[in-house]
Amino acid sequence: MNRHIFALQQVARRTVSTSARRPVENKVPQNQKLFQEDNGIPVHLKGGTSDALLYRATMALTVVGVGYVVYELVKAAFPQKKN
């Protein structure tokens, strides 16, 4: 029993450690310069290739969704005749 409590104390000490972590570089000023420069690119695409891919995927899903909604509305407006 005491062995389990001692193991739990050791795990708790490791997870709540006050050891110094590696310093993280502050990238905010670089990003501010990137997003504030006037180069004709919309702000939602200034992040690079990943932003462009996300934008195109979002637009494609939107077009597919609108097409599906229109299809369902037409199908509901003109039901098939039962013989």
Side-chain angles (χ1 to χ4, degrees):
M1 175 84 175
N2 289 336
R3 187 173 35 166
H4 297 297
I5 293 174
F6 182 68
L8 181 64
Q9 285 176 345
Q10 283 183 330
V11 169
R13 273 194 216 118
R14 275 191 225 131
T15 58
V16 189
S17 158
T18 58
S19 64
R21 295 185 176 150
R22 61 186 174 103
V24 179
E25 181 184 348
N26 186 8
K27 296 179 182 178
V28 173
Q30 296 168 357
N31 287 337
Q32 284 177 338
K33 286 179 186 176
L34 172 72
F35 284 97
Q36 289 177 354
E37 70 183 30
D38 187 19
N39 55 5
I41 299 174
V43 71
H44 60 275
L45 296 176
K46 284 190 177 185
T49 307
S50 61
D51 280 352
L53 287 173
L54 284 172
Y55 175 74
R56 288 182 182 142
T58 302
M59 289 299 112
L61 285 172
T62 301
V63 168
V64 168
V66 168
Y68 184 70
V69 167
V70 169
Y71 167 75
E72 288 294 328
L73 285 173
V74 169
K75 193 169 86 171
F78 302 109
Q80 294 180 350
K81 294 180 182 177
K82 294 182 181 180
N83 292 333

